[in-house]
Amino acid sequence: MKKTIRDVQLQGKTVFLRVDFNVPLDGERITDDTRIVKALPTIEMLREQGARIVLASHLGRPKGEVDPRYSLKPVAQHLSQLLGVPVPLSEELVGPAVAARIQALRPGELLMLENVRFHPGETKNDPELARTWASYVDLFVNDAFGSAHRAHASTVGVGTFVPAVAGLLMARELEVLGGVLKNPKRPLVAIIGGAKIKDKIGVLENLLGLVDRLLIGGGMANTFLLAQGYDLGASLVEEDQVDTARRLMQEADARGVRVYLPQDVVVAERFSADAAHRTVPVGHIPSGWMALDIGPQTVEIFKAALQDAAMVVWNGPLGAFELAPFAAGTMAIAQALSTSKGETIVGGGDSVAAIEAANVAESISHISTGGGATLEFLEGKTLPGVAILQDLE
Ligand code: ADP
Ligand code: MG
């Protein structure tokens, strides 16, 4: 268990608060403010307790130099509206001017630093940069779970010079995702989809050792079907992963994990919303056609496998759900999760987008804010931005 802001004295402290405000922008308009909203409880608690707050985040991938396209200005403005207090933005990331502004903060006041990736030391986890930031504050609070798989100056480095604790969002992610790995409720069912096995081997491997049932869909299911001898036509397949698929199936067998693969699929002539398409059993994929969604019979089988689940972990859409004709499978499983009596946990950028497209976000127990970080956590890896946090004695 990691220490959180609930476990430390905050009154009068100056805090370096790393958040994940890497929001999608259309020009200067924030198209989805979820990441900002999710950080509010931590910010509010710090303010209530009388801490002075230095906010730090990256946005996009500027290359270690100032790039106005990635300015946090719209984020500071939006946060200011949400909180109803000023959120000034410091264009300087280090130096006497910013030090003086931090020094002048009163309890409960905020200062947001410009995009930390405007400094070349950030992604290199430059100790000089980290030490400088740390010298401005008393405490490092990491609430950026989505960046915790990166060892950068603002996600790890600062915490090597001042005490480091988790923010409330980080703490919740660790509690829920940690619960899957350390204390799963059974039956535990994992649904793994997405385009490629290659992206998900680590997750498949680690979850195989934990779950009672594994449901596989999406593009990656094709390679499993190929390993079983089916003809996949022009579907996305990974020839170089056939052995991996075979090995994972054997491992599942040896561990008594039941693996569910598609029995029918929606096939199309092309990867396009206006392509001719129809549903066929997996043994009847026409040559030159590609499998782009699980079929209705598979949906029923998957739903039955989810019926009595006490815990469900879902990563990876079950089809090319961005294209309307191939969204039905993913939408049906999203619905099934929303009515599940078990604890439901969804992670992954596209999977979360699918949950939102299905309009069921409210009925999911936990929607993880990490993309890559969530995957690495479920792989059983130690995330550097988590490792740096103090343990609760
Ligand atoms: P997440 O972001 O949730 O981890 P991934 O990035 O692994 O999910 O997978 C999402 C992508 O997988 C989507 O772009 C989707 O179009 C693609 N995909 C799913 N099923 C198929 C399929 N049968 N053929 C091709 N692409 C697919
Ligand atoms: Mg993705």
Side-chain angles (χ1 to χ4, degrees), residues 193-196 199-200 217-220 222 236 271 291-293 315-322 347-352 375:
K196 294 181 180 166
D199 301 338
K200 307 278 167 83
M220 71 157 68
N222 298 338
L236 171 77
F271 189 93
L292 291 179
D293 194 11
N315 170 260
L318 302 165
F321 77 104
E322 305 92 330
D350 293 292
S351 312
V352 173
L375 283 183

PDB file of all heavy atoms in Angstrom, residues 193-196 199-200 217-220 222 236 271 291-293 315-322 347-352 375, ligand 1:
ATOM      1  N   GLY A 193      -9.289  -7.742 -26.353  1.00  0.00           N
ATOM      2  CA  GLY A 193      -9.471  -7.551 -27.789  1.00  0.00           C
ATOM      3  C   GLY A 193      -8.435  -6.582 -28.307  1.00  0.00           C
ATOM      4  O   GLY A 193      -7.347  -6.483 -27.755  1.00  0.00           O
ATOM      5  N   GLY A 194      -8.809  -5.837 -29.333  1.00  0.00           N
ATOM      6  CA  GLY A 194      -7.858  -4.909 -29.936  1.00  0.00           C
ATOM      7  C   GLY A 194      -7.267  -5.515 -31.181  1.00  0.00           C
ATOM      8  O   GLY A 194      -7.593  -6.648 -31.556  1.00  0.00           O
ATOM      9  N   ALA A 195      -6.384  -4.763 -31.785  1.00  0.00           N
ATOM     10  CA  ALA A 195      -5.902  -5.160 -33.093  1.00  0.00           C
ATOM     11  C   ALA A 195      -4.940  -6.352 -33.019  1.00  0.00           C
ATOM     12  O   ALA A 195      -5.112  -7.343 -33.716  1.00  0.00           O
ATOM     13  CB  ALA A 195      -5.241  -3.967 -33.782  1.00  0.00           C
ATOM     14  N   LYS A 196      -3.941  -6.258 -32.162  1.00  0.00           N
ATOM     15  CA  LYS A 196      -2.820  -7.202 -32.269  1.00  0.00           C
ATOM     16  C   LYS A 196      -2.476  -7.942 -30.988  1.00  0.00           C
ATOM     17  O   LYS A 196      -2.499  -7.364 -29.908  1.00  0.00           O
ATOM     18  CB  LYS A 196      -1.567  -6.451 -32.736  1.00  0.00           C
ATOM     19  CG  LYS A 196      -1.702  -5.922 -34.132  1.00  0.00           C
ATOM     20  CD  LYS A 196      -0.433  -5.213 -34.531  1.00  0.00           C
ATOM     21  CE  LYS A 196      -0.554  -4.679 -35.954  1.00  0.00           C
ATOM     22  NZ  LYS A 196       0.508  -3.721 -36.237  1.00  0.00           N
ATOM     23  N   ASP A 199       0.718  -6.411 -29.126  1.00  0.00           N
ATOM     24  CA  ASP A 199       0.555  -5.330 -28.147  1.00  0.00           C
ATOM     25  C   ASP A 199       0.140  -5.837 -26.780  1.00  0.00           C
ATOM     26  O   ASP A 199       0.238  -5.124 -25.790  1.00  0.00           O
ATOM     27  CB  ASP A 199      -0.543  -4.349 -28.592  1.00  0.00           C
ATOM     28  CG  ASP A 199      -0.251  -3.725 -29.931  1.00  0.00           C
ATOM     29  OD1 ASP A 199       0.930  -3.695 -30.326  1.00  0.00           O
ATOM     30  OD2 ASP A 199      -1.205  -3.264 -30.592  1.00  0.00           O
ATOM     31  N   LYS A 200      -0.397  -7.054 -26.726  1.00  0.00           N
ATOM     32  CA  LYS A 200      -1.079  -7.497 -25.513  1.00  0.00           C
ATOM     33  C   LYS A 200      -0.516  -8.785 -24.926  1.00  0.00           C
ATOM     34  O   LYS A 200      -1.115  -9.337 -24.001  1.00  0.00           O
ATOM     35  CB  LYS A 200      -2.579  -7.689 -25.806  1.00  0.00           C
ATOM     36  CG  LYS A 200      -3.281  -6.487 -26.441  1.00  0.00           C
ATOM     37  CD  LYS A 200      -3.696  -5.437 -25.414  1.00  0.00           C
ATOM     38  CE  LYS A 200      -4.094  -4.120 -26.016  1.00  0.00           C
ATOM     39  NZ  LYS A 200      -5.465  -4.055 -26.490  1.00  0.00           N
ATOM     40  N   GLY A 217     -11.429 -11.420 -28.480  1.00  0.00           N
ATOM     41  CA  GLY A 217     -12.106 -10.914 -29.678  1.00  0.00           C
ATOM     42  C   GLY A 217     -11.202  -9.943 -30.403  1.00  0.00           C
ATOM     43  O   GLY A 217     -10.002  -9.874 -30.130  1.00  0.00           O
ATOM     44  N   GLY A 218     -11.783  -9.160 -31.328  1.00  0.00           N
ATOM     45  CA  GLY A 218     -10.994  -8.168 -32.051  1.00  0.00           C
ATOM     46  C   GLY A 218     -10.063  -8.820 -33.061  1.00  0.00           C
ATOM     47  O   GLY A 218     -10.128 -10.026 -33.307  1.00  0.00           O
ATOM     48  N   GLY A 219      -9.178  -7.991 -33.588  1.00  0.00           N
ATOM     49  CA  GLY A 219      -8.245  -8.490 -34.592  1.00  0.00           C
ATOM     50  C   GLY A 219      -7.373  -9.615 -34.068  1.00  0.00           C
ATOM     51  O   GLY A 219      -7.043 -10.558 -34.795  1.00  0.00           O
ATOM     52  N   MET A 220      -7.014  -9.544 -32.775  1.00  0.00           N
ATOM     53  CA  MET A 220      -6.073 -10.545 -32.248  1.00  0.00           C
ATOM     54  C   MET A 220      -6.678 -11.948 -32.231  1.00  0.00           C
ATOM     55  O   MET A 220      -5.951 -12.934 -32.299  1.00  0.00           O
ATOM     56  CB  MET A 220      -5.601 -10.161 -30.858  1.00  0.00           C
ATOM     57  CG  MET A 220      -6.653 -10.290 -29.790  1.00  0.00           C
ATOM     58  SD  MET A 220      -5.830 -10.473 -28.214  1.00  0.00           S
ATOM     59  CE  MET A 220      -5.105  -8.850 -28.053  1.00  0.00           C
ATOM     60  N   ASN A 222      -8.138 -13.328 -34.551  1.00  0.00           N
ATOM     61  CA  ASN A 222      -7.868 -13.958 -35.850  1.00  0.00           C
ATOM     62  C   ASN A 222      -6.658 -14.878 -35.796  1.00  0.00           C
ATOM     63  O   ASN A 222      -6.664 -15.967 -36.369  1.00  0.00           O
ATOM     64  CB  ASN A 222      -7.629 -12.890 -36.926  1.00  0.00           C
ATOM     65  CG  ASN A 222      -8.847 -12.009 -37.144  1.00  0.00           C
ATOM     66  OD1 ASN A 222      -9.973 -12.414 -36.827  1.00  0.00           O
ATOM     67  ND2 ASN A 222      -8.633 -10.819 -37.664  1.00  0.00           N
ATOM     68  N   LEU A 236      -6.870  -9.311 -40.768  1.00  0.00           N
ATOM     69  CA  LEU A 236      -5.611  -8.996 -40.095  1.00  0.00           C
ATOM     70  C   LEU A 236      -5.158 -10.235 -39.314  1.00  0.00           C
ATOM     71  O   LEU A 236      -5.856 -10.693 -38.418  1.00  0.00           O
ATOM     72  CB  LEU A 236      -5.851  -7.837 -39.125  1.00  0.00           C
ATOM     73  CG  LEU A 236      -4.719  -7.491 -38.162  1.00  0.00           C
ATOM     74  CD1 LEU A 236      -3.620  -6.712 -38.872  1.00  0.00           C
ATOM     75  CD2 LEU A 236      -5.241  -6.679 -36.984  1.00  0.00           C
ATOM     76  N   PHE A 271     -11.785  -2.747 -45.424  1.00  0.00           N
ATOM     77  CA  PHE A 271     -11.820  -2.073 -44.116  1.00  0.00           C
ATOM     78  C   PHE A 271     -12.440  -0.708 -44.345  1.00  0.00           C
ATOM     79  O   PHE A 271     -11.741   0.304 -44.455  1.00  0.00           O
ATOM     80  CB  PHE A 271     -10.393  -1.953 -43.551  1.00  0.00           C
ATOM     81  CG  PHE A 271     -10.355  -1.481 -42.119  1.00  0.00           C
ATOM     82  CD1 PHE A 271     -10.332  -2.394 -41.077  1.00  0.00           C
ATOM     83  CD2 PHE A 271     -10.340  -0.120 -41.810  1.00  0.00           C
ATOM     84  CE1 PHE A 271     -10.298  -1.965 -39.757  1.00  0.00           C
ATOM     85  CE2 PHE A 271     -10.305   0.318 -40.491  1.00  0.00           C
ATOM     86  CZ  PHE A 271     -10.288  -0.612 -39.468  1.00  0.00           C
ATOM     87  N   ALA A 291     -12.458 -10.403 -41.351  1.00  0.00           N
ATOM     88  CA  ALA A 291     -13.282 -10.418 -40.141  1.00  0.00           C
ATOM     89  C   ALA A 291     -13.063  -9.102 -39.401  1.00  0.00           C
ATOM     90  O   ALA A 291     -11.939  -8.790 -39.015  1.00  0.00           O
ATOM     91  CB  ALA A 291     -12.892 -11.587 -39.253  1.00  0.00           C
ATOM     92  N   LEU A 292     -14.158  -8.348 -39.189  1.00  0.00           N
ATOM     93  CA  LEU A 292     -14.017  -7.034 -38.543  1.00  0.00           C
ATOM     94  C   LEU A 292     -14.844  -6.885 -37.268  1.00  0.00           C
ATOM     95  O   LEU A 292     -14.810  -5.837 -36.620  1.00  0.00           O
ATOM     96  CB  LEU A 292     -14.364  -5.919 -39.536  1.00  0.00           C
ATOM     97  CG  LEU A 292     -13.353  -5.733 -40.681  1.00  0.00           C
ATOM     98  CD1 LEU A 292     -13.799  -4.636 -41.627  1.00  0.00           C
ATOM     99  CD2 LEU A 292     -11.950  -5.431 -40.152  1.00  0.00           C
ATOM    100  N   ASP A 293     -15.611  -7.910 -36.917  1.00  0.00           N
ATOM    101  CA  ASP A 293     -16.354  -7.847 -35.653  1.00  0.00           C
ATOM    102  C   ASP A 293     -16.727  -9.277 -35.249  1.00  0.00           C
ATOM    103  O   ASP A 293     -16.742 -10.177 -36.094  1.00  0.00           O
ATOM    104  CB  ASP A 293     -17.635  -7.005 -35.829  1.00  0.00           C
ATOM    105  CG  ASP A 293     -18.280  -6.603 -34.490  1.00  0.00           C
ATOM    106  OD1 ASP A 293     -17.639  -6.798 -33.429  1.00  0.00           O
ATOM    107  OD2 ASP A 293     -19.412  -6.094 -34.522  1.00  0.00           O
ATOM    108  N   ASN A 315     -10.059  -5.078 -21.736  1.00  0.00           N
ATOM    109  CA  ASN A 315      -9.162  -4.230 -22.530  1.00  0.00           C
ATOM    110  C   ASN A 315      -9.193  -4.668 -23.990  1.00  0.00           C
ATOM    111  O   ASN A 315      -8.915  -5.822 -24.297  1.00  0.00           O
ATOM    112  CB  ASN A 315      -7.716  -4.281 -22.044  1.00  0.00           C
ATOM    113  CG  ASN A 315      -6.790  -3.599 -23.036  1.00  0.00           C
ATOM    114  OD1 ASN A 315      -6.140  -4.260 -23.820  1.00  0.00           O
ATOM    115  ND2 ASN A 315      -6.789  -2.293 -23.054  1.00  0.00           N
ATOM    116  N   GLY A 316      -9.496  -3.732 -24.859  1.00  0.00           N
ATOM    117  CA  GLY A 316      -9.427  -3.967 -26.294  1.00  0.00           C
ATOM    118  C   GLY A 316     -10.786  -4.227 -26.908  1.00  0.00           C
ATOM    119  O   GLY A 316     -11.461  -5.185 -26.540  1.00  0.00           O
ATOM    120  N   PRO A 317     -11.185  -3.370 -27.867  1.00  0.00           N
ATOM    121  CA  PRO A 317     -12.469  -3.540 -28.547  1.00  0.00           C
ATOM    122  C   PRO A 317     -12.539  -4.887 -29.287  1.00  0.00           C
ATOM    123  O   PRO A 317     -11.521  -5.445 -29.669  1.00  0.00           O
ATOM    124  CB  PRO A 317     -12.495  -2.384 -29.556  1.00  0.00           C
ATOM    125  CG  PRO A 317     -11.482  -1.409 -29.076  1.00  0.00           C
ATOM    126  CD  PRO A 317     -10.458  -2.171 -28.322  1.00  0.00           C
ATOM    127  N   LEU A 318     -13.769  -5.385 -29.465  1.00  0.00           N
ATOM    128  CA  LEU A 318     -13.952  -6.708 -30.057  1.00  0.00           C
ATOM    129  C   LEU A 318     -14.086  -6.664 -31.565  1.00  0.00           C
ATOM    130  O   LEU A 318     -14.237  -7.700 -32.220  1.00  0.00           O
ATOM    131  CB  LEU A 318     -15.167  -7.375 -29.402  1.00  0.00           C
ATOM    132  CG  LEU A 318     -14.939  -7.471 -27.882  1.00  0.00           C
ATOM    133  CD1 LEU A 318     -16.211  -7.785 -27.140  1.00  0.00           C
ATOM    134  CD2 LEU A 318     -13.856  -8.493 -27.581  1.00  0.00           C
ATOM    135  N   GLY A 319     -14.055  -5.466 -32.108  1.00  0.00           N
ATOM    136  CA  GLY A 319     -14.101  -5.289 -33.551  1.00  0.00           C
ATOM    137  C   GLY A 319     -13.633  -3.901 -33.912  1.00  0.00           C
ATOM    138  O   GLY A 319     -13.248  -3.123 -33.041  1.00  0.00           O
ATOM    139  N   ALA A 320     -13.684  -3.603 -35.217  1.00  0.00           N
ATOM    140  CA  ALA A 320     -13.297  -2.268 -35.686  1.00  0.00           C
ATOM    141  C   ALA A 320     -14.465  -1.331 -35.415  1.00  0.00           C
ATOM    142  O   ALA A 320     -15.155  -0.876 -36.339  1.00  0.00           O
ATOM    143  CB  ALA A 320     -12.938  -2.319 -37.165  1.00  0.00           C
ATOM    144  N   PHE A 321     -14.675  -1.036 -34.126  1.00  0.00           N
ATOM    145  CA  PHE A 321     -15.913  -0.369 -33.695  1.00  0.00           C
ATOM    146  C   PHE A 321     -16.021   1.080 -34.161  1.00  0.00           C
ATOM    147  O   PHE A 321     -17.081   1.686 -34.082  1.00  0.00           O
ATOM    148  CB  PHE A 321     -16.048  -0.433 -32.165  1.00  0.00           C
ATOM    149  CG  PHE A 321     -15.171   0.561 -31.456  1.00  0.00           C
ATOM    150  CD1 PHE A 321     -15.714   1.720 -30.903  1.00  0.00           C
ATOM    151  CD2 PHE A 321     -13.805   0.364 -31.369  1.00  0.00           C
ATOM    152  CE1 PHE A 321     -14.906   2.661 -30.270  1.00  0.00           C
ATOM    153  CE2 PHE A 321     -12.987   1.289 -30.739  1.00  0.00           C
ATOM    154  CZ  PHE A 321     -13.535   2.439 -30.192  1.00  0.00           C
ATOM    155  N   GLU A 322     -14.910   1.648 -34.652  1.00  0.00           N
ATOM    156  CA  GLU A 322     -14.963   3.029 -35.168  1.00  0.00           C
ATOM    157  C   GLU A 322     -15.833   3.084 -36.422  1.00  0.00           C
ATOM    158  O   GLU A 322     -16.331   4.143 -36.798  1.00  0.00           O
ATOM    159  CB  GLU A 322     -13.565   3.541 -35.539  1.00  0.00           C
ATOM    160  CG  GLU A 322     -12.531   3.473 -34.430  1.00  0.00           C
ATOM    161  CD  GLU A 322     -11.723   2.170 -34.442  1.00  0.00           C
ATOM    162  OE1 GLU A 322     -12.262   1.123 -34.866  1.00  0.00           O
ATOM    163  OE2 GLU A 322     -10.563   2.212 -34.005  1.00  0.00           O
ATOM    164  N   GLY A 347     -10.030  -0.652 -19.170  1.00  0.00           N
ATOM    165  CA  GLY A 347      -8.839   0.159 -19.406  1.00  0.00           C
ATOM    166  C   GLY A 347      -8.440   0.117 -20.866  1.00  0.00           C
ATOM    167  O   GLY A 347      -8.803  -0.815 -21.591  1.00  0.00           O
ATOM    168  N   GLY A 348      -7.685   1.122 -21.293  1.00  0.00           N
ATOM    169  CA  GLY A 348      -7.236   1.195 -22.680  1.00  0.00           C
ATOM    170  C   GLY A 348      -7.950   2.325 -23.391  1.00  0.00           C
ATOM    171  O   GLY A 348      -9.158   2.481 -23.247  1.00  0.00           O
ATOM    172  N   GLY A 349      -7.208   3.116 -24.147  1.00  0.00           N
ATOM    173  CA  GLY A 349      -7.770   4.304 -24.788  1.00  0.00           C
ATOM    174  C   GLY A 349      -8.991   3.990 -25.638  1.00  0.00           C
ATOM    175  O   GLY A 349     -10.049   4.623 -25.495  1.00  0.00           O
ATOM    176  N   ASP A 350      -8.873   3.007 -26.523  1.00  0.00           N
ATOM    177  CA  ASP A 350      -9.977   2.704 -27.435  1.00  0.00           C
ATOM    178  C   ASP A 350     -11.129   2.022 -26.704  1.00  0.00           C
ATOM    179  O   ASP A 350     -12.294   2.230 -27.041  1.00  0.00           O
ATOM    180  CB  ASP A 350      -9.482   1.837 -28.596  1.00  0.00           C
ATOM    181  CG  ASP A 350      -8.517   2.609 -29.485  1.00  0.00           C
ATOM    182  OD1 ASP A 350      -8.957   3.555 -30.153  1.00  0.00           O
ATOM    183  OD2 ASP A 350      -7.313   2.287 -29.480  1.00  0.00           O
ATOM    184  N   SER A 351     -10.806   1.219 -25.707  1.00  0.00           N
ATOM    185  CA  SER A 351     -11.856   0.536 -24.943  1.00  0.00           C
ATOM    186  C   SER A 351     -12.709   1.546 -24.180  1.00  0.00           C
ATOM    187  O   SER A 351     -13.936   1.430 -24.137  1.00  0.00           O
ATOM    188  CB  SER A 351     -11.231  -0.457 -23.962  1.00  0.00           C
ATOM    189  OG  SER A 351     -10.275  -1.246 -24.613  1.00  0.00           O
ATOM    190  N   VAL A 352     -12.059   2.536 -23.592  1.00  0.00           N
ATOM    191  CA  VAL A 352     -12.785   3.574 -22.868  1.00  0.00           C
ATOM    192  C   VAL A 352     -13.643   4.381 -23.847  1.00  0.00           C
ATOM    193  O   VAL A 352     -14.802   4.715 -23.563  1.00  0.00           O
ATOM    194  CB  VAL A 352     -11.815   4.484 -22.077  1.00  0.00           C
ATOM    195  CG1 VAL A 352     -12.552   5.670 -21.465  1.00  0.00           C
ATOM    196  CG2 VAL A 352     -11.107   3.681 -20.994  1.00  0.00           C
ATOM    197  N   LEU A 375      -2.138  -0.904 -19.096  1.00  0.00           N
ATOM    198  CA  LEU A 375      -1.672  -2.166 -19.686  1.00  0.00           C
ATOM    199  C   LEU A 375      -0.439  -2.680 -18.962  1.00  0.00           C
ATOM    200  O   LEU A 375      -0.360  -3.856 -18.610  1.00  0.00           O
ATOM    201  CB  LEU A 375      -1.362  -1.987 -21.175  1.00  0.00           C
ATOM    202  CG  LEU A 375      -2.576  -1.932 -22.100  1.00  0.00           C
ATOM    203  CD1 LEU A 375      -2.133  -1.816 -23.547  1.00  0.00           C
ATOM    204  CD2 LEU A 375      -3.456  -3.156 -21.923  1.00  0.00           C
TER     205      LEU A 375
HETATM  206  P1  ADP B   1      -7.056  -0.146 -26.429  1.00  0.00           P
HETATM  207  O1  ADP B   1      -6.695   1.233 -26.894  1.00  0.00           O
HETATM  208  O2  ADP B   1      -8.377  -0.162 -25.699  1.00  0.00           O
HETATM  209  O3  ADP B   1      -5.943  -0.815 -25.661  1.00  0.00           O
HETATM  210  P2  ADP B   1      -6.289  -1.343 -28.931  1.00  0.00           P
HETATM  211  O4  ADP B   1      -5.586  -0.086 -29.308  1.00  0.00           O
HETATM  212  O5  ADP B   1      -5.496  -2.526 -28.610  1.00  0.00           O
HETATM  213  O6  ADP B   1      -7.325  -1.038 -27.729  1.00  0.00           O
HETATM  214  O7  ADP B   1      -7.269  -1.795 -30.108  1.00  0.00           O
HETATM  215  C1  ADP B   1      -8.156  -0.918 -30.761  1.00  0.00           C
HETATM  216  C2  ADP B   1      -8.074  -1.076 -32.254  1.00  0.00           C
HETATM  217  O8  ADP B   1      -8.268  -2.422 -32.663  1.00  0.00           O
HETATM  218  C3  ADP B   1      -9.168  -0.279 -32.917  1.00  0.00           C
HETATM  219  O9  ADP B   1      -8.559   0.714 -33.732  1.00  0.00           O
HETATM  220  C4  ADP B   1      -9.922  -1.287 -33.758  1.00  0.00           C
HETATM  221  O10 ADP B   1     -10.298  -0.789 -35.034  1.00  0.00           O
HETATM  222  C5  ADP B   1      -8.911  -2.404 -33.920  1.00  0.00           C
HETATM  223  N1  ADP B   1      -9.571  -3.671 -34.226  1.00  0.00           N
HETATM  224  C6  ADP B   1     -10.413  -4.367 -33.431  1.00  0.00           C
HETATM  225  N2  ADP B   1     -10.861  -5.461 -34.054  1.00  0.00           N
HETATM  226  C7  ADP B   1     -10.284  -5.476 -35.275  1.00  0.00           C
HETATM  227  C8  ADP B   1     -10.336  -6.384 -36.393  1.00  0.00           C
HETATM  228  N3  ADP B   1     -11.110  -7.475 -36.362  1.00  0.00           N
HETATM  229  N4  ADP B   1      -9.591  -6.088 -37.482  1.00  0.00           N
HETATM  230  C9  ADP B   1      -8.831  -4.973 -37.501  1.00  0.00           C
HETATM  231  N5  ADP B   1      -8.731  -4.086 -36.501  1.00  0.00           N
HETATM  232  C10 ADP B   1      -9.447  -4.340 -35.394  1.00  0.00           C
END
